[in-house]
PDB file of all heavy atoms in Angstrom:
ATOM      1  N   ASP M  24      84.105  -8.577 -38.652  1.00  0.00           N
ATOM      2  CA  ASP M  24      83.435  -7.364 -38.179  1.00  0.00           C
ATOM      3  C   ASP M  24      83.835  -6.125 -38.977  1.00  0.00           C
ATOM      4  O   ASP M  24      82.978  -5.370 -39.431  1.00  0.00           O
ATOM      5  CB  ASP M  24      83.752  -7.105 -36.707  1.00  0.00           C
ATOM      6  CG  ASP M  24      83.057  -8.107 -35.780  1.00  0.00           C
ATOM      7  OD1 ASP M  24      82.377  -9.005 -36.282  1.00  0.00           O
ATOM      8  OD2 ASP M  24      83.239  -8.001 -34.545  1.00  0.00           O
ATOM      9  N   LEU M  25      85.118  -5.892 -39.139  1.00  0.00           N
ATOM     10  CA  LEU M  25      85.584  -4.666 -39.777  1.00  0.00           C
ATOM     11  C   LEU M  25      85.213  -4.601 -41.253  1.00  0.00           C
ATOM     12  O   LEU M  25      84.759  -3.534 -41.708  1.00  0.00           O
ATOM     13  CB  LEU M  25      87.089  -4.466 -39.547  1.00  0.00           C
ATOM     14  CG  LEU M  25      87.560  -4.389 -38.098  1.00  0.00           C
ATOM     15  CD1 LEU M  25      89.032  -3.963 -38.050  1.00  0.00           C
ATOM     16  CD2 LEU M  25      86.712  -3.459 -37.276  1.00  0.00           C
ATOM     17  N   PRO M  26      85.387  -5.667 -42.030  1.00  0.00           N
ATOM     18  CA  PRO M  26      84.964  -5.581 -43.436  1.00  0.00           C
ATOM     19  C   PRO M  26      83.461  -5.298 -43.565  1.00  0.00           C
ATOM     20  O   PRO M  26      83.036  -4.517 -44.437  1.00  0.00           O
ATOM     21  CB  PRO M  26      85.285  -6.973 -43.994  1.00  0.00           C
ATOM     22  CG  PRO M  26      86.388  -7.465 -43.163  1.00  0.00           C
ATOM     23  CD  PRO M  26      86.142  -6.919 -41.789  1.00  0.00           C
ATOM     24  N   ILE M  27      82.651  -5.909 -42.673  1.00  0.00           N
ATOM     25  CA  ILE M  27      81.199  -5.641 -42.756  1.00  0.00           C
ATOM     26  C   ILE M  27      80.903  -4.194 -42.354  1.00  0.00           C
ATOM     27  O   ILE M  27      80.049  -3.535 -42.955  1.00  0.00           O
ATOM     28  CB  ILE M  27      80.438  -6.645 -41.891  1.00  0.00           C
ATOM     29  CG1 ILE M  27      80.641  -8.072 -42.452  1.00  0.00           C
ATOM     30  CG2 ILE M  27      78.925  -6.314 -41.897  1.00  0.00           C
ATOM     31  CD1 ILE M  27      80.058  -9.173 -41.589  1.00  0.00           C
ATOM     32  N   MET M  28      81.587  -3.701 -41.363  1.00  0.00           N
ATOM     33  CA  MET M  28      81.425  -2.301 -40.963  1.00  0.00           C
ATOM     34  C   MET M  28      81.837  -1.385 -42.108  1.00  0.00           C
ATOM     35  O   MET M  28      81.171  -0.353 -42.375  1.00  0.00           O
ATOM     36  CB  MET M  28      82.207  -1.977 -39.696  1.00  0.00           C
ATOM     37  CG  MET M  28      81.636  -2.668 -38.445  1.00  0.00           C
ATOM     38  SD  MET M  28      82.554  -2.287 -36.930  1.00  0.00           S
ATOM     39  CE  MET M  28      81.956  -0.623 -36.580  1.00  0.00           C
ATOM     40  N   ASP M  29      82.925  -1.717 -42.784  1.00  0.00           N
ATOM     41  CA  ASP M  29      83.364  -0.905 -43.934  1.00  0.00           C
ATOM     42  C   ASP M  29      82.276  -0.873 -45.013  1.00  0.00           C
ATOM     43  O   ASP M  29      82.001   0.166 -45.604  1.00  0.00           O
ATOM     44  CB  ASP M  29      84.659  -1.493 -44.531  1.00  0.00           C
ATOM     45  CG  ASP M  29      85.876  -1.230 -43.647  1.00  0.00           C
ATOM     46  OD1 ASP M  29      85.857  -0.247 -42.905  1.00  0.00           O
ATOM     47  OD2 ASP M  29      86.824  -2.015 -43.742  1.00  0.00           O
ATOM     48  N   ALA M  30      81.646  -2.039 -45.263  1.00  0.00           N
ATOM     49  CA  ALA M  30      80.596  -2.114 -46.274  1.00  0.00           C
ATOM     50  C   ALA M  30      79.390  -1.292 -45.847  1.00  0.00           C
ATOM     51  O   ALA M  30      78.750  -0.640 -46.677  1.00  0.00           O
ATOM     52  CB  ALA M  30      80.214  -3.566 -46.513  1.00  0.00           C
ATOM     53  N   CYS M  31      79.074  -1.302 -44.568  1.00  0.00           N
ATOM     54  CA  CYS M  31      77.936  -0.526 -44.073  1.00  0.00           C
ATOM     55  C   CYS M  31      78.225   0.982 -44.232  1.00  0.00           C
ATOM     56  O   CYS M  31      77.339   1.755 -44.604  1.00  0.00           O
ATOM     57  CB  CYS M  31      77.651  -0.836 -42.604  1.00  0.00           C
ATOM     58  SG  CYS M  31      76.851  -2.453 -42.380  1.00  0.00           S
ATOM     59  N   LEU M  32      79.469   1.384 -43.948  1.00  0.00           N
ATOM     60  CA  LEU M  32      79.834   2.791 -44.134  1.00  0.00           C
ATOM     61  C   LEU M  32      79.695   3.207 -45.599  1.00  0.00           C
ATOM     62  O   LEU M  32      79.168   4.269 -45.896  1.00  0.00           O
ATOM     63  CB  LEU M  32      81.288   3.010 -43.663  1.00  0.00           C
ATOM     64  CG  LEU M  32      81.494   3.303 -42.186  1.00  0.00           C
ATOM     65  CD1 LEU M  32      82.982   3.341 -41.884  1.00  0.00           C
ATOM     66  CD2 LEU M  32      80.826   4.619 -41.774  1.00  0.00           C
ATOM     67  N   GLU M  33      80.137   2.353 -46.494  1.00  0.00           N
ATOM     68  CA  GLU M  33      80.113   2.711 -47.914  1.00  0.00           C
ATOM     69  C   GLU M  33      78.683   2.800 -48.443  1.00  0.00           C
ATOM     70  O   GLU M  33      78.400   3.573 -49.351  1.00  0.00           O
ATOM     71  CB  GLU M  33      80.909   1.696 -48.730  1.00  0.00           C
ATOM     72  CG  GLU M  33      81.087   2.079 -50.178  1.00  0.00           C
ATOM     73  CD  GLU M  33      82.145   1.262 -50.894  1.00  0.00           C
ATOM     74  OE1 GLU M  33      83.019   0.695 -50.242  1.00  0.00           O
ATOM     75  OE2 GLU M  33      82.055   1.187 -52.142  1.00  0.00           O
ATOM     76  N   THR M  34      77.780   2.027 -47.850  1.00  0.00           N
ATOM     77  CA  THR M  34      76.403   2.001 -48.321  1.00  0.00           C
ATOM     78  C   THR M  34      75.436   2.818 -47.452  1.00  0.00           C
ATOM     79  O   THR M  34      74.250   2.950 -47.804  1.00  0.00           O
ATOM     80  CB  THR M  34      75.893   0.549 -48.386  1.00  0.00           C
ATOM     81  OG1 THR M  34      76.060  -0.075 -47.113  1.00  0.00           O
ATOM     82  CG2 THR M  34      76.632  -0.239 -49.463  1.00  0.00           C
ATOM     83  N   GLY M  35      75.919   3.330 -46.318  1.00  0.00           N
ATOM     84  CA  GLY M  35      75.054   4.150 -45.451  1.00  0.00           C
ATOM     85  C   GLY M  35      73.987   3.379 -44.717  1.00  0.00           C
ATOM     86  O   GLY M  35      72.876   3.860 -44.515  1.00  0.00           O
ATOM     87  N   VAL M  36      74.331   2.144 -44.267  1.00  0.00           N
ATOM     88  CA  VAL M  36      73.360   1.276 -43.597  1.00  0.00           C
ATOM     89  C   VAL M  36      73.867   0.976 -42.179  1.00  0.00           C
ATOM     90  O   VAL M  36      75.043   0.726 -41.969  1.00  0.00           O
ATOM     91  CB  VAL M  36      73.156  -0.037 -44.365  1.00  0.00           C
ATOM     92  CG1 VAL M  36      72.215  -0.989 -43.615  1.00  0.00           C
ATOM     93  CG2 VAL M  36      72.613   0.249 -45.769  1.00  0.00           C
ATOM     94  N   SER M  37      72.969   0.987 -41.208  1.00  0.00           N
ATOM     95  CA  SER M  37      73.330   0.714 -39.824  1.00  0.00           C
ATOM     96  C   SER M  37      73.733  -0.746 -39.604  1.00  0.00           C
ATOM     97  O   SER M  37      73.396  -1.621 -40.420  1.00  0.00           O
ATOM     98  CB  SER M  37      72.188   1.106 -38.902  1.00  0.00           C
ATOM     99  OG  SER M  37      72.037   2.519 -38.843  1.00  0.00           O
ATOM    100  N   TYR M  38      74.393  -0.976 -38.482  1.00  0.00           N
ATOM    101  CA  TYR M  38      75.114  -2.241 -38.274  1.00  0.00           C
ATOM    102  C   TYR M  38      74.859  -2.739 -36.832  1.00  0.00           C
ATOM    103  O   TYR M  38      74.755  -1.937 -35.900  1.00  0.00           O
ATOM    104  CB  TYR M  38      76.607  -1.997 -38.491  1.00  0.00           C
ATOM    105  CG  TYR M  38      77.549  -3.070 -38.004  1.00  0.00           C
ATOM    106  CD1 TYR M  38      78.004  -4.060 -38.862  1.00  0.00           C
ATOM    107  CD2 TYR M  38      78.040  -3.047 -36.686  1.00  0.00           C
ATOM    108  CE1 TYR M  38      78.904  -5.023 -38.420  1.00  0.00           C
ATOM    109  CE2 TYR M  38      78.945  -4.003 -36.256  1.00  0.00           C
ATOM    110  CZ  TYR M  38      79.367  -5.003 -37.135  1.00  0.00           C
ATOM    111  OH  TYR M  38      80.260  -5.946 -36.693  1.00  0.00           O
ATOM    112  N   LEU M  39      74.826  -4.061 -36.651  1.00  0.00           N
ATOM    113  CA  LEU M  39      74.725  -4.681 -35.317  1.00  0.00           C
ATOM    114  C   LEU M  39      75.559  -5.948 -35.301  1.00  0.00           C
ATOM    115  O   LEU M  39      75.594  -6.683 -36.293  1.00  0.00           O
ATOM    116  CB  LEU M  39      73.262  -5.006 -34.982  1.00  0.00           C
ATOM    117  CG  LEU M  39      72.976  -5.773 -33.684  1.00  0.00           C
ATOM    118  CD1 LEU M  39      71.645  -5.297 -33.075  1.00  0.00           C
ATOM    119  CD2 LEU M  39      72.932  -7.295 -33.902  1.00  0.00           C
ATOM    120  N   ASP M  40      76.251  -6.207 -34.181  1.00  0.00           N
ATOM    121  CA  ASP M  40      76.926  -7.508 -34.022  1.00  0.00           C
ATOM    122  C   ASP M  40      76.757  -8.015 -32.603  1.00  0.00           C
ATOM    123  O   ASP M  40      76.133  -7.391 -31.743  1.00  0.00           O
ATOM    124  CB  ASP M  40      78.407  -7.398 -34.426  1.00  0.00           C
ATOM    125  CG  ASP M  40      79.264  -6.535 -33.473  1.00  0.00           C
ATOM    126  OD1 ASP M  40      78.923  -6.420 -32.293  1.00  0.00           O
ATOM    127  OD2 ASP M  40      80.258  -5.993 -33.946  1.00  0.00           O
ATOM    128  N   THR M  41      77.328  -9.219 -32.354  1.00  0.00           N
ATOM    129  CA  THR M  41      77.231  -9.832 -31.042  1.00  0.00           C
ATOM    130  C   THR M  41      78.593 -10.051 -30.392  1.00  0.00           C
ATOM    131  O   THR M  41      78.658 -10.425 -29.211  1.00  0.00           O
ATOM    132  CB  THR M  41      76.533 -11.206 -31.130  1.00  0.00           C
ATOM    133  OG1 THR M  41      77.315 -12.076 -31.973  1.00  0.00           O
ATOM    134  CG2 THR M  41      75.119 -11.068 -31.696  1.00  0.00           C
ATOM    135  N   ALA M  42      79.675  -9.875 -31.135  1.00  0.00           N
ATOM    136  CA  ALA M  42      81.023 -10.123 -30.587  1.00  0.00           C
ATOM    137  C   ALA M  42      82.015  -9.170 -31.233  1.00  0.00           C
ATOM    138  O   ALA M  42      81.914  -8.864 -32.409  1.00  0.00           O
ATOM    139  CB  ALA M  42      81.437 -11.582 -30.855  1.00  0.00           C
ATOM    140  N   ASN M  43      82.997  -8.722 -30.470  1.00  0.00           N
ATOM    141  CA  ASN M  43      83.898  -7.731 -31.007  1.00  0.00           C
ATOM    142  C   ASN M  43      84.968  -8.302 -31.911  1.00  0.00           C
ATOM    143  O   ASN M  43      85.188  -9.501 -31.955  1.00  0.00           O
ATOM    144  CB  ASN M  43      84.502  -6.840 -29.888  1.00  0.00           C
ATOM    145  CG  ASN M  43      85.509  -7.555 -29.015  1.00  0.00           C
ATOM    146  OD1 ASN M  43      85.828  -8.711 -29.202  1.00  0.00           O
ATOM    147  ND2 ASN M  43      86.004  -6.836 -28.017  1.00  0.00           N
ATOM    148  N   TYR M  44      85.627  -7.420 -32.626  1.00  0.00           N
ATOM    149  CA  TYR M  44      86.605  -7.805 -33.644  1.00  0.00           C
ATOM    150  C   TYR M  44      87.778  -8.546 -33.043  1.00  0.00           C
ATOM    151  O   TYR M  44      88.255  -8.217 -31.947  1.00  0.00           O
ATOM    152  CB  TYR M  44      87.086  -6.591 -34.401  1.00  0.00           C
ATOM    153  CG  TYR M  44      88.198  -6.898 -35.403  1.00  0.00           C
ATOM    154  CD1 TYR M  44      87.914  -7.601 -36.561  1.00  0.00           C
ATOM    155  CD2 TYR M  44      89.500  -6.498 -35.169  1.00  0.00           C
ATOM    156  CE1 TYR M  44      88.906  -7.898 -37.464  1.00  0.00           C
ATOM    157  CE2 TYR M  44      90.504  -6.779 -36.053  1.00  0.00           C
ATOM    158  CZ  TYR M  44      90.208  -7.491 -37.226  1.00  0.00           C
ATOM    159  OH  TYR M  44      91.208  -7.805 -38.107  1.00  0.00           O
ATOM    160  N   GLU M  45      88.253  -9.539 -33.774  1.00  0.00           N
ATOM    161  CA  GLU M  45      89.427 -10.305 -33.367  1.00  0.00           C
ATOM    162  C   GLU M  45      90.278 -10.579 -34.620  1.00  0.00           C
ATOM    163  O   GLU M  45      89.760 -11.100 -35.613  1.00  0.00           O
ATOM    164  CB  GLU M  45      88.998 -11.631 -32.742  1.00  0.00           C
ATOM    165  CG  GLU M  45      90.138 -12.475 -32.256  1.00  0.00           C
ATOM    166  CD  GLU M  45      89.661 -13.743 -31.555  1.00  0.00           C
ATOM    167  OE1 GLU M  45      88.460 -13.844 -31.244  1.00  0.00           O
ATOM    168  OE2 GLU M  45      90.472 -14.646 -31.343  1.00  0.00           O
ATOM    169  N   PRO M  46      91.547 -10.194 -34.621  1.00  0.00           N
ATOM    170  CA  PRO M  46      92.383 -10.469 -35.781  1.00  0.00           C
ATOM    171  C   PRO M  46      92.570 -11.969 -35.965  1.00  0.00           C
ATOM    172  O   PRO M  46      92.610 -12.733 -35.009  1.00  0.00           O
ATOM    173  CB  PRO M  46      93.724  -9.798 -35.445  1.00  0.00           C
ATOM    174  CG  PRO M  46      93.470  -8.961 -34.240  1.00  0.00           C
ATOM    175  CD  PRO M  46      92.270  -9.504 -33.551  1.00  0.00           C
ATOM    176  N   LYS M  47      92.692 -12.400 -37.223  1.00  0.00           N
ATOM    177  CA  LYS M  47      92.874 -13.815 -37.487  1.00  0.00           C
ATOM    178  C   LYS M  47      94.198 -14.339 -36.935  1.00  0.00           C
ATOM    179  O   LYS M  47      94.283 -15.475 -36.466  1.00  0.00           O
ATOM    180  CB  LYS M  47      92.878 -14.058 -39.005  1.00  0.00           C
ATOM    181  CG  LYS M  47      91.499 -14.316 -39.605  1.00  0.00           C
ATOM    182  CD  LYS M  47      91.642 -14.789 -41.029  1.00  0.00           C
ATOM    183  CE  LYS M  47      90.278 -15.143 -41.584  1.00  0.00           C
ATOM    184  NZ  LYS M  47      90.385 -15.645 -42.965  1.00  0.00           N
TER     185      LYS M  47
END
């Protein structure tokens, strides 16, 4: 979740997911 959100921030694109972040 967080890496994809980081990529969305860097590119200015909105984001959607189905489950919250969980550390490995």
